Amino acid sequence: MAAVASPNPSASAKPPSFSTQFQPRMTLLPRFTLPIYSNPQKRHPFLHISNVISNSKPTTTTTTTMLPVPESFISRYAPDQPRKGSDVLVEALEREGVTDVFAYPGGASMEIHQALTRSRTIRNVLPRHEQGGVFAAEGYARASGLPGVCIATSGPGATNLVSGLADAMLDSIPIVAITGQVPRRMIGTDAFQETPIVEVTRSITKHNYLVLDVEDIPRIVREAFYLASSGRPGPVLIDVPKDIQQQLVVPKWDEPMRLSGYLSRLPKPPNDSHLEQIIRLISESKKPVLYVGGGCLDSSDELRRFVELTGIPVASTLMGLGSYPASDDLSLQMLGMHGTVCANYAVDKSDLLLAFGVRFDDRVTGKLEAFASRAKIVHIDIDSAEIGKNKQPHVSVCGDIKIALKGLNKILEGKGEITNLDFSSWRKELDEQKLNHPLSFKTFGDAIPPQYAIQVLDELTGGNAIISTGVGQHQMWAAQFYKYNRPRQWLTSGGLGAMGFGLPAAIGAAVARPDAIVVDIDGDGSFMMNVQELATIRVENLPVKIMLLNNQHLGMVVQWEDRFYKANRAHTYLGNPSKESEIFPNMLKFAEACDIPAARVTQVGDLRAAIQKMLDTSGPYLLDVIVPHQEHVLPMIPAGGGFMDVITEGDGRTKY
């Protein structure tokens, strides 16, 4: 038995055919691709796909398709030269076009690190914690659209990846995680630093492998990248025992992928009759609204064209921010628990909900029965499991939203009567909601409103920065008050809500996009969870700016305490109770310890100049912005509530 993996279904169907003309790796990312952010230095390897039963050695090939590359890969080894499994693994990564990894060494993975030192093309960005490494790989993937790669040792190194894998699974982020494992003969003996990481991560990865034959490494790595990137993207884990890493082998790079069951389930192009039906529903509606999510990030051009042709207003999920320009007149901005009144009003009053690349998450829908209760629902998503899971659609299309939008646009462009689509009265109704219920905040003396700090950052960066966040109030304010006009500007832990995400994700974004301004908007609680990554930022000299909204509390939990628990504080104060008048801990000392310039601002009159100095300083910078803990994120629809339950007033200064 060559490798142990999640069992593959039937291998009876033929794989889809691929164009013989070379296309970059991004074409395999139907859900999370933005060509503008691709790395021109990356190359796609040969893809050799065949139908072979997954638990046997390939003996029969029914279909073989290959994607040529613009130039052949030049190995540093002679074709018949034996080399260690670890060197085969690293070369397999090189053949996938990997140029950056986030790897932390340990006993069971040190062979891989030794092999990395022999690579001429792969740079290791050394995190200071494995969780920092996997979040950085996610930041890399979210900012570039290409799979991020992280590597950890066995046991605690591997288990430290768990939160990042779960996060990538929930948010559909393509990452490949590689872990060292104890030697094969010791698996199952409770050996030092042994954990069954394949079993631990089975339900939070798209697929995972335990390598039991060194000859399988080239095929498994190729499969892992294909699985992570194709269909609905997600994390794939490869567990490599140490004796496999040390074993000498002459690799076979032309071994076919054995994914026939998976390939047979990839969605086909949408049926024209279904698209025609959607166009008919649009023409019959009076109050349509688009509800777009993370699935639309790589279909931004097609989405903008669709809106241009139809004039339908757009509400975005937290994950979908940037897929449609927030500054456009037809943008309703974010919907859901902390979405705009206008966006939630539009969904509530709509007669047609076009749900594109979304999963009807509870933070969006609230009370399911009340969500879009007046509307016919059209749901397009690449994952068949999401269709009808939470909300039953009237029309559904399981397929790539990019292809579906192209098809819809082609039909619309071919119809002369599209000029008859007139939703001006509906848009006027929504404009009144925008006017009556804008996103707003109050000021109290010299105190800095956190919303204002983000607004100023938006102005001073021209809305062009890549923004990462932790999780909590600062995350929601960053979603509300920074205007995302392009995809892949907004990096946040959506489904899992993992605190500590912001700083390492910013590292990944800065590595993937060295040309971009990268700002981590963080809270003091989230920042402390991966504060050690300041050392990585300094050593790598990454120009990451950190704007810390420091309120000395777990702000979002405090908000819920204020609203629903009579303001009873249950361990949500993060300062020093014996010195409440002082800022604790002193974040500037953390920055100083890592030789990173830092400053603190406490008065609103000094804020703009302080943010400008942060942006003007070359390299990394930390700005500690002291904000009041009484602020609440508004609007707010309480969990399980509907649009009629929306809260638009109040803060921690009021009793409830």
Side-chain angles (χ1 to χ4, degrees), residues 125-138:
V125 177
L126 178 68
R128 268 39 181 190
H129 190 290
E130 291 90 355
Q131 186 182 93
V134 67
F135 282 158
E138 273 200 89

PDB file of all heavy atoms in Angstrom, residues 125-138:
ATOM      1  N   VAL A 125      10.244  31.546   5.108  1.00  0.00           N
ATOM      2  CA  VAL A 125       9.976  32.634   6.043  1.00  0.00           C
ATOM      3  C   VAL A 125       9.685  31.971   7.388  1.00  0.00           C
ATOM      4  O   VAL A 125       8.639  31.344   7.563  1.00  0.00           O
ATOM      5  CB  VAL A 125       8.786  33.492   5.572  1.00  0.00           C
ATOM      6  CG1 VAL A 125       8.475  34.581   6.595  1.00  0.00           C
ATOM      7  CG2 VAL A 125       9.078  34.093   4.205  1.00  0.00           C
ATOM      8  N   LEU A 126      10.624  32.072   8.302  1.00  0.00           N
ATOM      9  CA  LEU A 126      10.549  31.335   9.570  1.00  0.00           C
ATOM     10  C   LEU A 126       9.581  32.009  10.535  1.00  0.00           C
ATOM     11  O   LEU A 126       9.863  33.093  11.050  1.00  0.00           O
ATOM     12  CB  LEU A 126      11.944  31.254  10.200  1.00  0.00           C
ATOM     13  CG  LEU A 126      12.041  30.556  11.564  1.00  0.00           C
ATOM     14  CD1 LEU A 126      11.756  29.077  11.435  1.00  0.00           C
ATOM     15  CD2 LEU A 126      13.414  30.803  12.190  1.00  0.00           C
ATOM     16  N   PRO A 127       8.429  31.384  10.795  1.00  0.00           N
ATOM     17  CA  PRO A 127       7.527  31.939  11.814  1.00  0.00           C
ATOM     18  C   PRO A 127       8.088  31.637  13.196  1.00  0.00           C
ATOM     19  O   PRO A 127       9.035  30.858  13.339  1.00  0.00           O
ATOM     20  CB  PRO A 127       6.216  31.185  11.563  1.00  0.00           C
ATOM     21  CG  PRO A 127       6.661  29.857  11.022  1.00  0.00           C
ATOM     22  CD  PRO A 127       7.916  30.121  10.234  1.00  0.00           C
ATOM     23  N   ARG A 128       7.510  32.239  14.227  1.00  0.00           N
ATOM     24  CA  ARG A 128       7.962  31.945  15.599  1.00  0.00           C
ATOM     25  C   ARG A 128       6.986  31.028  16.329  1.00  0.00           C
ATOM     26  O   ARG A 128       7.143  30.757  17.520  1.00  0.00           O
ATOM     27  CB  ARG A 128       8.166  33.249  16.363  1.00  0.00           C
ATOM     28  CG  ARG A 128       9.589  33.835  16.315  1.00  0.00           C
ATOM     29  CD  ARG A 128      10.273  33.716  15.002  1.00  0.00           C
ATOM     30  NE  ARG A 128      11.641  34.275  15.023  1.00  0.00           N
ATOM     31  CZ  ARG A 128      12.376  34.468  13.941  1.00  0.00           C
ATOM     32  NH1 ARG A 128      11.897  34.147  12.737  1.00  0.00           N
ATOM     33  NH2 ARG A 128      13.586  34.962  14.033  1.00  0.00           N
ATOM     34  N   HIS A 129       5.996  30.542  15.625  1.00  0.00           N
ATOM     35  CA  HIS A 129       5.026  29.582  16.174  1.00  0.00           C
ATOM     36  C   HIS A 129       4.352  28.947  14.964  1.00  0.00           C
ATOM     37  O   HIS A 129       4.108  29.622  13.959  1.00  0.00           O
ATOM     38  CB  HIS A 129       4.007  30.318  17.056  1.00  0.00           C
ATOM     39  CG  HIS A 129       3.105  29.413  17.855  1.00  0.00           C
ATOM     40  ND1 HIS A 129       2.127  28.644  17.277  1.00  0.00           N
ATOM     41  CD2 HIS A 129       3.034  29.168  19.190  1.00  0.00           C
ATOM     42  CE1 HIS A 129       1.479  27.968  18.227  1.00  0.00           C
ATOM     43  NE2 HIS A 129       2.024  28.262  19.398  1.00  0.00           N
ATOM     44  N   GLU A 130       4.049  27.656  15.066  1.00  0.00           N
ATOM     45  CA  GLU A 130       3.437  26.977  13.911  1.00  0.00           C
ATOM     46  C   GLU A 130       2.089  27.589  13.539  1.00  0.00           C
ATOM     47  O   GLU A 130       1.725  27.624  12.357  1.00  0.00           O
ATOM     48  CB  GLU A 130       3.269  25.477  14.191  1.00  0.00           C
ATOM     49  CG  GLU A 130       4.566  24.699  14.255  1.00  0.00           C
ATOM     50  CD  GLU A 130       5.167  24.630  15.651  1.00  0.00           C
ATOM     51  OE1 GLU A 130       4.606  25.287  16.567  1.00  0.00           O
ATOM     52  OE2 GLU A 130       6.184  23.926  15.834  1.00  0.00           O
ATOM     53  N   GLN A 131       1.336  28.064  14.541  1.00  0.00           N
ATOM     54  CA  GLN A 131       0.075  28.718  14.190  1.00  0.00           C
ATOM     55  C   GLN A 131       0.337  29.975  13.372  1.00  0.00           C
ATOM     56  O   GLN A 131      -0.399  30.269  12.428  1.00  0.00           O
ATOM     57  CB  GLN A 131      -0.744  29.072  15.438  1.00  0.00           C
ATOM     58  CG  GLN A 131      -2.131  29.613  15.084  1.00  0.00           C
ATOM     59  CD  GLN A 131      -2.934  30.001  16.303  1.00  0.00           C
ATOM     60  OE1 GLN A 131      -2.922  31.146  16.733  1.00  0.00           O
ATOM     61  NE2 GLN A 131      -3.643  29.035  16.866  1.00  0.00           N
ATOM     62  N   GLY A 132       1.402  30.702  13.722  1.00  0.00           N
ATOM     63  CA  GLY A 132       1.791  31.847  12.907  1.00  0.00           C
ATOM     64  C   GLY A 132       2.120  31.418  11.492  1.00  0.00           C
ATOM     65  O   GLY A 132       1.792  32.107  10.523  1.00  0.00           O
ATOM     66  N   GLY A 133       2.746  30.257  11.330  1.00  0.00           N
ATOM     67  CA  GLY A 133       3.101  29.761  10.006  1.00  0.00           C
ATOM     68  C   GLY A 133       1.892  29.426   9.158  1.00  0.00           C
ATOM     69  O   GLY A 133       1.827  29.786   7.974  1.00  0.00           O
ATOM     70  N   VAL A 134       0.912  28.747   9.740  1.00  0.00           N
ATOM     71  CA  VAL A 134      -0.264  28.363   8.938  1.00  0.00           C
ATOM     72  C   VAL A 134      -1.127  29.587   8.630  1.00  0.00           C
ATOM     73  O   VAL A 134      -1.676  29.713   7.525  1.00  0.00           O
ATOM     74  CB  VAL A 134      -1.073  27.238   9.629  1.00  0.00           C
ATOM     75  CG1 VAL A 134      -1.722  27.685  10.919  1.00  0.00           C
ATOM     76  CG2 VAL A 134      -2.117  26.665   8.669  1.00  0.00           C
ATOM     77  N   PHE A 135      -1.242  30.539   9.574  1.00  0.00           N
ATOM     78  CA  PHE A 135      -1.991  31.765   9.283  1.00  0.00           C
ATOM     79  C   PHE A 135      -1.269  32.605   8.224  1.00  0.00           C
ATOM     80  O   PHE A 135      -1.911  33.258   7.394  1.00  0.00           O
ATOM     81  CB  PHE A 135      -2.198  32.588  10.555  1.00  0.00           C
ATOM     82  CG  PHE A 135      -3.298  32.068  11.458  1.00  0.00           C
ATOM     83  CD1 PHE A 135      -3.320  32.399  12.812  1.00  0.00           C
ATOM     84  CD2 PHE A 135      -4.316  31.268  10.968  1.00  0.00           C
ATOM     85  CE1 PHE A 135      -4.327  31.937  13.647  1.00  0.00           C
ATOM     86  CE2 PHE A 135      -5.332  30.795  11.800  1.00  0.00           C
ATOM     87  CZ  PHE A 135      -5.329  31.129  13.144  1.00  0.00           C
ATOM     88  N   ALA A 136       0.070  32.588   8.253  1.00  0.00           N
ATOM     89  CA  ALA A 136       0.828  33.306   7.222  1.00  0.00           C
ATOM     90  C   ALA A 136       0.611  32.665   5.854  1.00  0.00           C
ATOM     91  O   ALA A 136       0.467  33.364   4.842  1.00  0.00           O
ATOM     92  CB  ALA A 136       2.315  33.318   7.570  1.00  0.00           C
ATOM     93  N   ALA A 137       0.579  31.328   5.811  1.00  0.00           N
ATOM     94  CA  ALA A 137       0.286  30.635   4.551  1.00  0.00           C
ATOM     95  C   ALA A 137      -1.096  31.009   4.040  1.00  0.00           C
ATOM     96  O   ALA A 137      -1.307  31.189   2.837  1.00  0.00           O
ATOM     97  CB  ALA A 137       0.404  29.127   4.748  1.00  0.00           C
ATOM     98  N   GLU A 138      -2.051  31.156   4.962  1.00  0.00           N
ATOM     99  CA  GLU A 138      -3.397  31.597   4.577  1.00  0.00           C
ATOM    100  C   GLU A 138      -3.371  33.029   4.038  1.00  0.00           C
ATOM    101  O   GLU A 138      -4.026  33.336   3.041  1.00  0.00           O
ATOM    102  CB  GLU A 138      -4.328  31.544   5.791  1.00  0.00           C
ATOM    103  CG  GLU A 138      -4.990  30.227   6.017  1.00  0.00           C
ATOM    104  CD  GLU A 138      -6.215  30.408   6.883  1.00  0.00           C
ATOM    105  OE1 GLU A 138      -7.307  30.651   6.335  1.00  0.00           O
ATOM    106  OE2 GLU A 138      -6.068  30.332   8.118  1.00  0.00           O
TER     107      GLU A 138
END
